[in-house]
Amino acid sequence: MTPEGLARLILARADGPGRFLVALAGPPAAGKSTLAADLAARLPDARVVPMDGFHYDDRVLEARGLRSRKGAPETFDAMGFLHLLRRLRDEDEVAIPLFDRDLEISRAGADIVLPSDRILIVEGNYLLLDRAPWTQAAALFDLTVFVEVPEEELVRRLTDRWRHHGRPDAAQWIESNDLPNIRTVLTGSTPAEIVLRPA
């Protein structure tokens, strides 16, 4: 299915009262953020809600011995994220956190979901993870989509990403951190209603 086809499907399925929440899941560097922005631009009254705003701060990760595993499921405030999803279903106006990749920090209340935002494209690695407490998310989505990209292409994209951000240990970081996270998503996610395999 193309992004155009997916947008048409979402529009047809969202033809009803209340908010319509789409889970856009996939491994790191699969292109979720780009696709989410593309879908939101194609749809009326739509916006993106990233999961990445729930990264624990580096100081918390250091204290828990998880700094070297940043981006793994246990390095996110999963319960906080689930609480946000429930608020997005029930409340008209909700503040959301955003992750600043340049600063490597989450900013609380960095954006606002407004009453006019009727279609929400929620994007993140672990939206479909078959592991508690992430499994609670499934019931909160109206449509689930998984972006599937070959591992070698993900590594290529991540190499470009970390070079862009000036990370000197990019290859080591990908091997020790990003690849385990990629494999967790690919092998540990429940099936999505729609699987996209970008060309």
Side-chain angles (χ1 to χ4, degrees), residues 49-116:
V49 177
M51 184 199 84
D52 276 358
F54 287 88
H55 270 289
Y56 284 132
D57 190 87
D58 285 355
R59 286 179 296 179
V60 174
L61 298 180
E62 290 282 1
R64 296 186 176 191
L66 291 170
R67 181 66 184 85
S68 65
R69 292 295 295 117
K70 187 170 185 175
E74 61 271 23
T75 66
F76 288 88
D77 177 14
M79 293 306 296
F81 175 66
L82 291 166
H83 181 63
L84 174 71
L85 292 179
R86 295 184 181 102
R87 289 188 65 199
L88 290 170
R89 296 211 69 91
D90 297 336
E91 300 177 27
D92 288 337
E93 185 170 298
V94 183
I96 62 172
L98 297 177
F99 186 71
D100 189 320
R101 192 170 294 280
D102 289 327
L103 297 176
E104 281 291 303
I105 193 168
S106 295
R107 296 184 292 119
D111 207 349
I112 304 287
V113 173
L114 300 171
S116 58

Side-chain angles (χ1 to χ4, degrees), residues 66-71 104 158 162 167-181:
L66 291 170
R67 181 66 184 85
S68 65
R69 292 295 295 117
K70 187 170 185 175
E104 281 291 303
L158 285 164
W162 294 129
R167 187 165 195 134
D169 62 341
Q172 179 183 348
W173 181 256
I174 291 168
E175 182 66 30
S176 65
N177 185 71
D178 290 332
L179 271 174
N181 294 340

